[in-house]
């Protein structure tokens, strides 16, 4: 029942604080996002080297559509550019790119480049890099519930077959292991609708560091801290 935490196989990151990082320097929020994208590249490479099995980034939430149009337009362009630029690193590090979220709701350019990167990297056998785009945790659960309801309605599934395990099969990425470690930068202590189903037993780690300043050194600290924790999953430690 119990398990001593070692190296996290799946790390999920809420990369927050780009805007504040920029404001503190008298720069526009956009500059913060640009620097944030560089941090994404750096942290990805480091995780691949450390043999992390999956790295998931909260890249754009469903709620982020509430932001000013100009910022959204910039973010979408930045994501498109990132996808194109990152292909070389993805290939060199044997990374497989995936995405979760309501992908259909993204602008065409983003969908197009995303599809190319996913296709090009689909046979890579190293770390899985998952981008949460137009993602909402409650939506993911609702979307899964709808798919299951349809299966039951069509007679492909019995109500008794709806279990925690089978529910998993209807999430955006059915075979995704739950995150072992969730990191949030930027100082807020909240989940902001990220991976609600999946984080039920995830270890949480928060830092005040704004995302553009988040370093591989701090990531190593988070991993080290995770390694010292005792994951009980509701059980007790014997002995
Ligand atoms: C995170 O930084 C990036 C995205 C949500 C896309 P923010 O833009 O939320 O930065 P703050 O929280 O305003 O500082
Ligand atoms: C969470 O950050 C979303 C992403 C990192 C993509 P936000 O900046 O949107 O979260 P809130 O609004 O502070 O909760
Ligand atoms: Mg924020």
């Amino acid at each position: 029942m119990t398990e001593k935490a070692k190296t996290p196989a799946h790390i999920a990151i809420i990369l927050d604080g780009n805007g504040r990082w920029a404001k503190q320097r008298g720069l526009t929020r956009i500059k913060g996002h640009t620097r944030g994208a560089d941090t994404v590249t750096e942290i990805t490479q480091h995780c691949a080297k450390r043999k992390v099995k999956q790295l998931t980034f909260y890249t754009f939430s469903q709620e982020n559509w509430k932001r000013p149009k100009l910022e959204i337009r910039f973010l979408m362009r930045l994501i498109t550019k990132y996808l194109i630029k990152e292909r070389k690193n993805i290939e060199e590090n044997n990374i497989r790119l995936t995405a979760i979220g309501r992908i259909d709701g993204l602008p065409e350019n983003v969908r197009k480049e995303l599809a190319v990167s996913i296709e090009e990297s689909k046979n890579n056998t190293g770390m899985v890099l998952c981008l949460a785009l137009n993602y909402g945790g409650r939506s993911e659960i609702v979307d899964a519930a709808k798919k299951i309801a349809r299966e039951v309605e069509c007679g492909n599934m019995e109500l008794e077959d709806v279990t925690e395990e089978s529910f998993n099969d209807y999430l955006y990425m059915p075979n995704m292991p739950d995150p072992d470690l969730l990191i949030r930068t930027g100082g807020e202590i909240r989940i902001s609708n990220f991976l609600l189903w999946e984080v039920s037993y995830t270890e949480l780690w928060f830092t005040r560091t704004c995302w553009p300043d988040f370093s591989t050194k701090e990531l190593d600290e988070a991993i080290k801290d995770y390694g010292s924790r005792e994951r009980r999953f509701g059980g007790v430690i014997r002995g």
Side-chain angles (χ1 to χ4, degrees), residues 1-207:
M1 276 306 285
T2 58
E3 178 193 313
K4 182 111 172 87
K6 294 185 189 79
T7 305
H10 180 183
I11 300 176
I13 302 183
I14 301 174
L15 43 98
D16 197 19
N18 289 350
R20 277 163 287 163
W21 179 90
K23 197 174 170 203
Q24 286 156 12
R25 287 160 180 78
L27 304 168
T28 58
R29 294 180 56 81
I30 278 171
K31 283 278 188 311
H33 295 312
T34 307
R35 281 294 295 268
D38 295 339
T39 310
V40 168
T41 300
E42 198 187 328
I43 294 299
T44 302
Q45 290 193 14
H46 190 65
C47 285
K49 282 199 191 84
R50 288 208 57 164
K51 304 272 181 262
V52 168
K53 288 201 165 60
Q54 179 166 342
L55 177 63
T56 302
F57 284 116
Y58 203 4
T59 311
F60 192 85
S61 78
Q62 238 173 39
E63 289 74 22
N64 287 150
W65 295 111
K66 289 179 196 154
R67 294 189 178 203
K69 277 205 169 57
L70 249 152
E71 182 172 346
I72 295 174
R73 211 177 305 150
F74 179 83
L75 279 169
M76 292 303 149
R77 264 212 311 271
L78 184 65
I79 293 165
T80 310
K81 276 205 276 189
Y82 159 84
L83 284 165
I84 296 168
K85 191 164 154 247
E86 204 63 8
R87 280 183 197 137
K88 193 167 164 273
N89 288 330
I90 287 178
E91 210 37 52
E92 282 173 8
N93 289 281
N94 192 25
I95 291 168
R96 181 159 67 84
L97 186 85
T98 60
I100 53 172
R102 289 184 172 167
I103 303 303
D104 290 353
L106 290 165
E108 200 189 331
N109 253 358
V110 179
R111 274 186 286 141
K112 187 175 143 250
E113 299 305 339
L114 188 63
V116 171
S117 292
I118 291 173
E119 177 63 26
E120 276 187 14
S121 69
K122 71 175 183 203
N123 294 321
N124 290 350
T125 54
M127 185 177 81
V128 173
L129 172 61
C130 177
L131 302 182
L133 290 163
N134 191 19
Y135 177 89
R138 286 188 171 180
S139 291
E140 179 171 33
I141 296 170
V142 168
D143 288 350
K146 276 187 180 162
K147 285 183 223 158
I148 291 172
R150 209 165 292 132
E151 295 277 37
V152 174
E153 204 175 54
C154 297
N156 296 333
M157 200 174 176
E158 298 291 329
L159 205 53
E160 294 69 38
D161 297 333
V162 184
T163 61
E164 287 185 19
E165 287 71 33
S166 69
F167 198 92
N168 249 307
D169 297 340
Y170 293 88
L171 295 171
Y172 293 136
M173 221 181 120
N175 299 319
M176 177 171 110
D178 289 342
D180 297 296
L181 175 64
L182 173 69
I183 295 172
R184 181 172 188 146
T185 62
E188 313 294 356
I189 315 287
R190 56 175 170 254
I191 298 290
S192 299
N193 202 17
F194 190 40
L195 301 175
L196 296 184
W197 174 274
E198 296 88 343
V199 298
S200 63
Y201 262 107
T202 298
E203 297 296 325
L204 310 176
W205 199 83
F206 298 95
T207 173

Side-chain angles (χ1 to χ4, degrees), residues 209-223:
T209 305
C210 288
W211 178 249
D213 280 339
F214 190 70
S215 62
T216 54
K217 188 170 160 277
E218 203 171 357
L219 176 66
D220 287 341
E221 273 169 38
I223 294 175

